[in-house]
Amino acid sequence: MAQFGGVAAGRLNVAQMVIATESAAARNGPWVTLAAPTGERDPLFPVRGREALLGDVMRLCTQGGGGRLHVLQGFGGSGKTSVVLEAVIRLEEQRAAPQQVWWLDARREPSLIAGITALARKVGLRPHELRSEDMADALWGRLSVLPFRWVLVLDSADEPSLLDGPGKLASGTGWLRPHSAPDGVVIVTTRRSAAGEWGGHAVLHAVGPLPVADAGDVLLDHTGPAGGTRREAEALGRRLGGLPLALRMAGSYLAEVIGMPEAFHDPDTPVNFAAYLRALERGGAPAGALQAVTETKRLSVELMERRGFPLAGRLLGMLAAFADAPIPPTLLLRPSALSCTQGLEGLDGPTLWRMLKEFTALGILDQLPAAEQPPQLLTVRLHPLIRDVSREAGGVGDAIALMACAVALAEIGLPEEPEAWPVWELLSPHALYLGRHVTADSGLEEEARLSGAETVELAARYLQALGLFGQACKEYETVLAVRRRYLGDEHPDTLSIRHNLASAHHDLGDLSRARAGYEAVWGLWTRAGGEDHLHALLARHELARVLHDLGLLEEAKAHHEQVLAQEQRLHGDEHPRTMASRHELARVLHDAGQLAAARSEYEAIFNARLRTLGAQHPRTLTAQHNLACVLDDLGQHGAAHSQFEIVLAGRSAVLGLKHPRTLNTQVRLARSLHAQGGIAQAGELMQAVWRMSGEVLGQDHPDTLRVSSFLHRWGLV
């Protein structure tokens, strides 16, 4: 409970508050001012990126606030005070300033009460009115009838409960109230964004981060071109979260370093925007650069602790261990998952939800719109600088445990299934970021490294499903290194990642490595569980596909026939794995020139998948694509063209326009157009595919080279 005058504030009435404040002033001096702190404005550095808000505040100051409470809300250091101060000074310079501006410091209750008491004297309340129980009523009665334009600013009111005074702020009975003065305006600056705390008479004006271009301007204002290029300034501004205070501190630091003799530079001293950005990324930013943000974080945590959330700092440290990306709390922060962590396992759902709302209200977290995500996937994002100063020992291990537990509990679907992709889009940045620690010298225990590797594998499977084969391959190699170290080369989990790595090599067109990988995995699974073992059959199936792509059709056919017989015996004729084997055998028939037989098989497979999976499922679209291919090869170009257009629409919607499978359909559509005489249209489409394939897969990928060969054949390259 706040203390002043030696008495607990919560037990004083209004008169006692004023008496206590006056007594303190008599002992210590009248340490209160109602003057605006105009000296804090530096005329050398303009306020950037706030012109619209500045215009709004200036209009309020000259036209009145309509009796409403106008609240400028934003993260600490976002420039709320600077905007109001700039508005007041500009109006003064334009000779349009209100007759009276009163500026109160609302950070602490003693200074707030002292300021309100001084304001009451200024507007003419007599001594006995100052000591009466209804002083607040008398003050607002007087303010409402003043015959001149006035502005009352309460700066840094980060704890709205201090403004309750004799009643309640939200009810209009506190120290701040609705008023009827046509020429008066009340402006508050605060980090609190919860509208319910301010009441229905309040108007909230959000003060967000600066746009990237304006953030770059703030840095360049301080250093000029000596700090680097505009692009480098904007990159640093983005990393600093567009926070004006952090931008000014970084700009001032660089200006000082640039101006000092080089002999005084330490080896690690950032001397330009790019170097400063690198220092931030490796956690070695200049000591004072994040000081204000650290103080903001400390004050926020202390405020939440006073409000009954003793685990606020611990939760913040947990959030800071995740990636600088949207965090889905309904997935990652459910109480059942927090039971896997140290120190947060006792949090219940309602308390956790209130803590997240408090962090959001304080600007520590930004709640992000769901965009195209399902409505239940609420996301929040930690301010990047708060993230920098909140990391703590043990946070990574807890975050890894939390992630693994959340994935296990959420039943979110396989990374290969398109309906699960919205969830994996949110989870994969965090899984991959935490995965950086599983091979590093990070002090993690073996269990944490293996758990982290498991979630990295899932995220890599999602990348592979999206067609990002190179990234997936890199992440698989990370997982393989961890499992080989702790589990050995033949452990089931190690064999699983070796299988996935061979699959990524196949997708990348590295057929020799894919073949070697599958042969090894097939042999080891067969030795461990026999020829009918699930994973042995899967490895053999994929090996046959690689042999097919190597042109070894007879060898591929022999493997596929054996796998198909085993799958039929084990699972029946319409099991998805049986159908997959039939599909690959149909491809062998197709490439062997047995077009009629291939067509019959493709039609049967397509119809079965259409019935069981639906028209938009990737496997259904693959069967339809291959059916269209065999129709085209049979000379039925019109029928093939229609099928390719259907598949292209489906793959574009499900996989995206640049997915390798979508590109493959565009290639076949172009060939069909060319065969029907649409030479120009076919050429334009094939050239577009060639550019996209080079971008996505690389110029040396077999698919890109195949497209290039068609362009050469058609005389377009």
Side-chain angles (χ1 to χ4, degrees), residues 1-4 7-12 109 306:
M1 186 175 293
Q3 298 277 335
F4 65 92
V7 184
R11 293 194 294 271
L12 296 179
E109 194 165 25
R306 290 198 301 273

Side-chain angles (χ1 to χ4, degrees), residues 3 13 53 92 97 121 235 238 308 351 447 517 580 589 592 684 700 715:
Q3 298 277 335
N13 59 32
L53 182 60
E92 182 68 35
R121 287 198 202 93
R238 183 182 298 108
T351 302
E447 181 180 358
L589 292 172
E684 290 177 5
D700 296 329

Side-chain angles (χ1 to χ4, degrees), residues 202-222:
V203 180
L204 267 63
H205 305 262
V207 185
L210 291 179
V212 169
D214 293 308
D217 283 338
V218 173
L219 292 167
L220 288 165
D221 286 342
H222 286 80

